[in-house]
Amino acid sequence: MDALSPTIKSGLVLPPRTARSDHALLSFGSYKNPNHSKRTRIRKRIEVKAQEGKKQASIDFSDPDWKSKYQNDFEARFRIPHLTDVLHDAVSTPVSSDFAEGYPSDEEWHGYINNNDRVLLKVIHYSSPTSAGAECIDPGWFTVLGPRKIYFKPEDVKAAIVTCGGLCPGLNDVIRQIVITLEIYGVKKIVGIPFGYRGFSDSNLAEMPLSRKVVQNIHLSGGSLLGVSRGGPTVSDIVDSMEERGINMLFVLGGNGTHAGANAIHEECRKRRLKVAVVGVPKTIDNDILLMDKTFGFDTAVEEAQRAINSAYIEAHSAYHGIGIVKLMGRSSGFIAMQASLASGQIDICLIPEVPFNLHGPHGVLNHLKYLLERKGSAVVCVAEELGRLDLLEKTNATDASGNTVLGDIGVYIQQETKKFFKGTGFPADVKYIDPTYMIRACRANASDGFSALFLVKMLYLLIYTHMFWQVHGAFAGYSGITVGICNTHYVYFPIPEVIAQPKVVDPNSRMWHRCLTSTGQPDFI
Ligand SMILES: Nc1ncnc2c1ncn2[C@@H]1O[C@H](COP(=O)(O)OP(=O)(O)O)[C@@H](O)[C@H]1O
Ligand SMILES: O=P(O)(O)OC[C@H]1O[C@](O)(COP(=O)(O)O)[C@@H](O)[C@@H]1O
Ligand SMILES: [Mg+2]
């Protein structure tokens, strides 16, 4: 089998852009869940849910050219935009003068990354199409990051950094490393745009000059030095403001909404034929960006969530028939709830939006809670925020300033229903509810999330192996409309539209979710 050999199911494959196939890449082996037959039903429903409204690509395997067509399509989708696409006369400067022609030869070792070096998206060789996870064909590779030709002279650069959306542990670490690395490149004009995109239009908000001195210790606290916000000016107003300020390098830290904005800014700059590099840094505590192994902030969130879960456990355990309910973040997906439940080992029931459940009825959550109280005297439930979208809750149609649906509070709802249920049955239960969202989001990044950033300062020569530095490379190298992330443990560039096509979600057939079920011991609630 070569790298592109398909694992075919009924002649059709899921396209690599679906969240399902993304996760399928990470799950392998042949774990057999005892509740598998029931789960198959759930699985079908989930597959339908996961595919709703998404562009489905099908491949005609009877076409002898399917492979090259597929590869061409993939190449086109994952080609990373470059300034020279529209500015044909943009000239480059070599990063080092050590090489003839300004760029190292491929013939001998030189320590530089070649433009054609790639990271494989899929690293598992499936022996058969029926192997667990073998549901997509190999979607190919991404570009590796690294030192290369630069299209911006440091003295001509005015770089701006903006942080948008909700808080996420690690924002300050990233701001700090971008500033430090820009200074290492020799950039003198570095500014922060205050309070997200709003800072481009609000005349009361002055841009913040940034330097190593200013950012030296900011990683020691959570939040964002620059402030964050949702909503803000139109893309056209943002680009007008960038032109007025002379910003030609923009680093945008944010989630899927922010990246949609970054891509639109990049497109607008292209339309105006501006020599501007717009580079995203994925900030999503929810870990809901496609194709990336993990985004910063997520580890810290899982770790901090342990404290809330432990408190809920202690409260529940110390009360007569105590029930602790913890609601964890995740606007579109249950990653935090799943991993925190798994890591804590203290959760009896984990509810995530990707897996349907009934609250009431003989197989519902409430009946199981009663069983747990009878059997072991207490129980702890972890529920993902996104379940607030369920029909269970009254719809308000409210949206926040960015246009995100404002979710009902599923934690409060489950708490109330639990109280009602036990009151109705006459069975005593003491229900406690914890929502640690803002305590988690405001935390300083833990060692894992902050490591690569902090590492930079001490080990400058290892900079090329770190996330943030490479992301600065991307801008200097003339790429725009790109973002960076870890794919199969390597740092690579992605074209923005591919990673925000839809939110990444938990695969209910993945080993991780099955492990979570094994850890909680919960049945299917349907
Ligand atoms: N489709 C879009 N096009 C342009 N800007 C967007 C888009 N979606 C969101 N934004 C802007 O991105 C910023 C952050 O978006 P938001 O959804 O709140 O957070 P996040 O980036 O963390 O998902 C907001 O200022 C919002 O106005
Ligand atoms: O109260 P806020 O600021 O609207 O934030 C709530 C949202 O922020 C998050 O923690 C992160 O969301 P973003 O990635 O969009 O910033 C979500 O899990 C949650 O729904
Ligand atoms: Mg978002």
Side-chain angles (χ1 to χ4, degrees):
M1 248 202 227
D2 61 32
L4 263 181
S5 291
T7 49
I8 308 166
K9 274 201 169 169
S10 322
L12 284 180
V13 289
L14 291 174
R17 65 168 55 191
T18 68
R20 271 195 46 72
S21 56
D22 178 23
H23 288 288
L25 299 173
L26 303 176
S27 61
F28 59 99
S30 57
Y31 174 81
K32 289 243 185 318
N33 190 287
N35 294 318
H36 192 260
S37 54
K38 271 190 192 168
R39 295 209 189 293
T40 312
R41 271 185 288 128
I42 306 174
R43 177 182 173 154
K44 292 222 164 70
R45 285 165 54 177
I46 289 155
E47 276 172 0
V48 172
K49 189 181 162 202
Q51 290 169 18
E52 264 170 26
K54 287 169 198 161
K55 190 179 158 196
Q56 292 292 299
S58 61
I59 297 175
D60 176 8
F61 290 114
S62 59
D63 178 350
D65 293 331
W66 74 266
K67 214 181 265 190
S68 57
K69 283 183 185 161
Y70 176 78
Q71 187 62 50
N72 290 342
D73 175 52
F74 184 87
E75 290 278 343
R77 280 173 43 205
F78 283 90
R79 190 185 162 278
I80 48 177
H82 195 269
L83 289 179
T84 49
D85 297 344
V86 287
L87 303 172
H88 305 297
D89 49 356
V91 286
S92 66
T93 315
V95 281
S96 162
S97 53
D98 294 349
F99 302 102
E101 310 281 306
Y103 205 65
S105 139
D106 283 345
E107 303 302 317
E108 48 195 77
W109 190 87
H110 46 63
Y112 279 67
I113 286 176
N114 189 294
N115 272 339
N116 293 319
D117 292 342
R118 296 285 191 270
V119 169
L120 283 172
L121 174 58
K122 195 168 186 171
V123 291
I124 303 164
H125 177 86
Y126 293 107
S127 63
S128 131
T130 53
S131 301
E135 291 184 16
C136 60
I137 65 174
D138 188 332
W141 45 74
F142 299 116
T143 305
V144 179
L145 307 179
R148 49 187 80 230
K149 287 188 259 191
I150 61 173
Y151 283 80
F152 288 92
K153 286 196 184 130
E155 58 272 27
D156 297 339
V157 170
K158 177 171 179 185
I161 306 173
V162 63
T163 55
C164 312
L167 285 182
C168 175
L171 280 171
N172 278 336
D173 303 60
V174 178
I175 295 169
R176 176 175 183 267
Q177 294 312 328
I178 291 175
V179 172
I180 289 172
T181 313
L182 283 166
E183 280 201 353
I184 291 168
Y185 261 98
V187 176
K188 298 271 185 296
K189 285 174 275 175
I190 311 170
V191 297
I193 303 297
F195 299 104
Y197 289 137
R198 168 193 287 267
F200 280 110
S201 61
D202 191 329
S203 54
N204 294 320
L205 298 173
E207 63 186 31
M208 186 187 295
L210 296 175
S211 63
R212 179 189 280 259
K213 198 166 166 220
V214 174
V215 300
Q216 189 63 39
N217 292 316
I218 61 171
H219 62 300
L220 300 179
S221 48
S224 163
L225 170 76
L226 307 175
V228 291
S229 73
R230 301 195 190 273
T234 63
V235 167
S236 171
D237 288 346
I238 293 174
V239 180
D240 286 350
S241 167
M242 285 170 64
E243 278 200 84
E244 277 162 30
R245 298 163 191 246
I247 293 168
N248 53 6
M249 209 175 263
L250 179 65
F251 297 94
V252 187
L253 281 57
N256 35 26
T258 306
H259 274 73
N263 201 51
I265 294 168
H266 152 76
E267 293 295 348
E268 181 64 21
C269 290
R270 281 190 152 202
K271 210 167 88 192
R272 299 188 192 185
R273 301 183 65 78
L274 302 175
K275 190 184 172 194
V276 172
V278 183
V279 175
V281 185
K283 167 242 62 162
T284 159
I285 199 165
D286 300 345
N287 199 30
D288 58 357
I289 294 196
L290 289 175
L291 301 170
M292 299 184 185
D293 295 355
K294 197 160 60 176
T295 46
F296 72 85
F298 177 72
D299 260 356
T300 311
V302 170
E303 195 173 301
E304 286 302 315
Q306 306 300 297
R307 296 180 206 275
I309 290 175
N310 194 45
S311 301
Y313 175 83
I314 289 169
E315 283 286 346
H317 208 65
S318 309
Y320 177 63
H321 284 179
I323 296 177
I325 300 169
V326 180
K327 184 187 77 171
L328 293 175
M329 302 94 78
R331 199 197 285 288
S332 313
S333 56
F335 285 105
I336 298 179
M338 172 179 71
Q339 294 218 11
S341 299
L342 194 49
S344 75
Q346 292 176 312
I347 294 293
D348 299 290
I349 300 176
C350 175
L351 303 174
I352 61 170
E354 294 86 343
V355 179
F357 69 93
N358 285 322
L359 202 53
H360 298 276
H363 304 294
V365 171
L366 297 174
N367 241 356
H368 186 61
L369 273 176
K370 183 161 175 278
Y371 163 78
L372 290 171
L373 292 190
E374 284 164 349
R375 199 170 64 97
K376 54 179 214 150
S378 65
V380 188
V381 183
C382 178
V383 48
E385 170 195 28
E386 168 72 10
L387 288 166
R389 204 179 287 272
L390 288 186
D391 292 338
L392 294 169
L393 303 180
E394 215 174 292
K395 291 272 170 305
T396 62
N397 291 329
T399 53
D400 67 16
S402 296
N404 300 305
T405 305
V406 174
L407 304 171
D409 195 329
I410 186 71
V412 169
Y413 175 79
I414 291 184
Q415 178 200 26
Q416 287 165 350
E417 289 302 299
T418 307
K419 282 183 175 170
K420 263 193 255 166
F421 170 81
F422 282 102
K423 201 170 171 196
T425 56
F427 190 90
D430 190 350
V431 186
K432 302 283 192 318
Y433 171 54
I434 300 179
D435 176 354
T437 300
Y438 297 119
M439 297 187 71
I440 292 176
R441 283 200 339 192
C443 277
R444 171 187 166 183
N446 70 4
S448 161
D449 284 331
F451 179 74
S452 47
L454 293 173
F455 201 56
L456 288 174
V457 185
K458 298 207 166 79
M459 308 286 285
L460 289 181
Y461 289 103
L462 290 177
L463 283 174
I464 62 166
Y465 295 109
T466 67
H467 191 164
M468 323 317 167
F469 188 74
W470 283 5
Q471 179 253 330
V472 175
H473 272 313
F476 274 98
Y479 293 118
S480 180
I482 61 166
T483 190
V484 286
I486 311 175
C487 176
N488 284 325
T489 71
H490 293 275
Y491 292 90
V492 294
Y493 295 142
F494 297 92
I496 290 175
E498 289 297 329
V499 296
I500 56 166
Q502 73 259 345
K504 184 168 83 173
V505 295
V506 172
D507 177 0
N509 301 309
S510 62
R511 286 191 106 192
M512 193 63 94
W513 176 244
H514 287 165
R515 280 187 198 116
C516 185
L517 294 178
T518 308
S519 155
T520 60
Q522 72 195 65
D524 293 331
F525 296 114
I526 53 168

